[in-house]
Amino acid sequence: MDLDWIARNLADGQDIVGLLGLHLVLALTPVVAALVISLPLGYAVSRTRAVAGPLLALFGVVYSVPSLALFVALPLVLGTRILDPLNIVVALTIYTVALLVRSVVDGFRGVPAQTRQAAQAMGMGPLRRVLTVELPLAMPVVFAGLRVVTVSNIALVSVGAVIGLGALGELFDLGLRQGFYTPIVVGIVLIVALALLFDGLILLVQRLCLPWSRGAAA
Amino acid sequence: MNVFSFLLDAENWAGPSGIWVRIGQHVFYSVASVLLAALVAIPLGVLIGHTRRGDAVVSGLSNAARAVPTLGLLVLVVTLMGSGYLPVVLALAVLAVPPVLVNTAAGFRGADPGAVHAGRALGMTGWQLVRQVELPLAVPLVVSGLRSASLQVVATATVAALAAAGGLGRFVVDGQNLGPGGYPQMFAGAVLVALLAVLVDLGLGGLGWALQRRTGRISREDRDHLATLQPGTA
């Protein structure tokens, strides 16, 4: 390990810090976007049994497409340049939605029918019932999905380095070109640390916002 | 610019760096590394699932595995060991171990305790229990682990091109180096690898589904059989 290299790149060009920030933006924007898309979509799917099977199967196929293939093919659809960060963000949003919708569907399906009926019997309208009764009960499962997608997004961003845009993944490319393993190790350590950090943060938010989910499936 | 031009040109399919050869290399990397991983992970998973020990290790491993950047691991191995078939296959095999291990352990641990106890009551040895009771029940999950591992490996084998290895990722990297005119070549690599991944997913998914159905049918037959033995039915 060349510790000087790390010190140089932290102090002068601030390369590592810049890449770290970019990495977080590229990995977390899709999580937020996908959560906003997946909650209503997943709720709708959970209420329509006929569509749910084929749609979830389709999402499964989408999820099996390698990320690099999507990074390369998206400029064609979006009309962006190949090096546009938007390609990475959109590609990861697609994956995240494909995975999160399943969690949202599972979450809403896990709400006991009696609970829903009780809310109805108490005179709650459909909107209020969904927002104040079903959603809070579905959220623990959604959070479990959220942790999975956040961790895998943070790791996946680095694949973009193959086409020249991978934030911390660019350290891998650099190390490979120079036959010098310090940047590679730094990249791996930072990515794993970020993933664990955000996994813990989401768990913390869940504990604080959903105290009833303690001990729920992780 | 026609993005399909590279794919549609017959010249690009033949030859030592043609599409067929690249597909062959990609499949070779993937099959070799999944087999290598299965050789290590399945016996270990059987041991963990059967003895019901080491669960914490398995769940920790599955979480940690998701956080490790595949490209980083591959590049690190290639930088330390040099490029060529062996380092690439080794790095890919390391990535394939966790899904196979976790699913195998879960399958053997989750085998119907009623069936396992019945086997033990019949005087089966530990090995007989593993072979004749737990294995048939665990097979669908083992296949599902192999499916996740294969998908992971097919996707990551693309990235191996960055490390001067062959495979379909070559088209992406070479096309990228050609500048804007290379896009059809990049696109060809992307389409082919996506197709390969979807085929692998559907193939192994179908296999898992068929195995699941078979176990389901056996248990249904057993239930019917048991039902006829009950007094007062039939």
Side-chain angles (χ1 to χ4, degrees):
Chain A
M1 287 292 286
D2 185 348
L3 292 176
D4 285 347
W5 181 87
I6 301 175
R8 269 199 313 279
N9 283 281
L10 273 176
D12 295 345
Q14 302 218 310
D15 271 337
I16 298 179
V17 179
L19 290 175
L20 193 75
L22 179 63
H23 200 96
L24 281 183
V25 172
L26 291 180
L28 298 183
T29 314
V31 175
V32 176
L35 186 63
V36 172
I37 298 169
S38 302
L39 280 176
L41 184 62
Y43 178 74
V45 171
S46 75
R47 298 314 302 268
T48 50
R49 283 183 189 274
V51 191
L55 198 69
L56 290 179
L58 179 72
F59 281 148
V61 173
V62 169
Y63 196 71
S64 72
V65 173
S67 48
L68 185 63
L70 219 50
F71 293 162
V72 170
L74 270 176
L76 201 65
V77 182
L78 300 174
T80 45
R81 288 171 304 114
I82 188 94
L83 280 177
D84 197 322
L86 196 62
N87 300 328
I88 310 266
V89 172
V90 172
L92 290 182
T93 305
I94 293 173
Y95 282 124
T96 313
V97 168
L99 213 79
L100 262 189
V101 164
R102 185 172 285 273
S103 300
V104 175
V105 171
D106 288 344
F108 276 109
R109 285 203 176 148
V111 176
Q114 295 99 314
T115 312
R116 210 167 29 226
Q117 286 157 1
Q120 218 159 3
M122 285 172 70
M124 284 189 180
L127 187 67
R128 193 156 152 239
R129 191 187 69 220
V130 170
L131 290 181
T132 65
V133 176
E134 294 185 38
L135 186 63
L137 289 173
M139 278 317 269
V141 184
V142 177
F143 263 91
L146 214 50
R147 288 173 62 193
V148 171
V149 294
T150 305
V151 169
S152 64
N153 271 5
I154 290 175
L156 272 181
V157 167
S158 59
V159 170
V162 178
I163 54 166
L165 185 88
L168 287 172
E170 286 163 35
L171 294 174
F172 302 151
D173 194 33
L174 179 80
L176 185 71
R177 278 173 207 274
Q178 305 183 352
F180 172 47
Y181 69 90
T182 304
I184 304 175
V185 174
V186 169
I188 295 177
V189 168
L190 284 178
I191 287 171
V192 172
L194 275 184
L196 295 180
L197 177 71
F198 276 85
D199 190 42
L201 275 180
I202 295 175
L203 189 64
L204 192 69
V205 171
Q206 181 183 0
R207 288 270 161 87
L208 293 176
C209 301
L210 310 167
W212 55 87
S213 73
R214 197 173 287 260
Chain B
M1 178 171 65
N2 179 4
V3 293
F4 289 102
S5 58
F6 189 87
L7 272 177
L8 293 175
D9 190 343
E11 249 175 52
N12 293 324
W13 285 78
S17 58
I19 291 174
W20 288 120
V21 173
R22 295 296 184 211
I23 292 177
Q25 287 169 333
H26 207 99
V27 170
F28 169 76
Y29 287 143
S30 307
V31 171
S33 46
V34 172
L35 281 183
L36 189 62
L39 224 54
V40 177
I42 291 181
L44 208 58
V46 172
L47 195 70
I48 290 170
H50 179 72
T51 60
R52 295 162 185 261
R53 290 211 180 92
D55 267 354
V57 178
V58 172
S59 75
L61 186 71
S62 72
N63 285 334
R66 210 176 286 128
V68 172
T70 53
L71 175 65
L73 190 71
L74 188 90
V75 164
L76 183 65
V77 171
V78 170
T79 306
L80 295 177
M81 294 180 60
S83 56
Y85 281 109
L86 190 65
V88 170
V89 169
L90 276 182
L92 293 176
V94 169
L95 295 172
V97 163
V100 180
L101 179 63
V102 169
N103 278 285
T104 306
F108 275 80
R109 154 171 284 265
D112 183 0
V116 177
H117 290 160
R120 192 164 285 140
L122 286 169
M124 283 182 155
T125 62
W127 174 244
Q128 283 174 322
L129 279 176
V130 166
R131 269 284 293 122
Q132 297 170 17
V133 180
E134 293 175 341
L135 179 69
L137 292 170
V139 159
L141 260 175
V142 176
V143 172
S144 138
L146 289 173
R147 178 189 183 188
S148 318
S150 307
L151 277 181
Q152 171 84 282
V153 162
V154 167
T156 312
T158 320
V159 169
L162 197 66
L168 290 168
R170 231 14 308 140
F171 295 122
V172 176
V173 172
D174 294 346
Q176 169 90 348
N177 290 337
L178 287 178
Y183 188 73
Q185 191 173 349
M186 292 177 79
F187 184 74
V191 167
L192 289 169
V193 79
L195 272 178
L196 189 64
V198 169
L199 278 179
V200 167
D201 188 36
L202 293 180
L204 288 176
L207 180 66
W209 181 76
L211 288 167
Q212 189 101 54
R213 251 173 71 95
R214 204 192 58 177
T215 5
R217 193 163 61 231
I218 289 170
S219 65
R220 221 170 13 254
E221 277 167 9
D222 284 352
R223 258 202 305 282
D224 293 347
H225 188 61
L226 284 174
T228 58
L229 291 175
Q230 301 281 330
T233 52

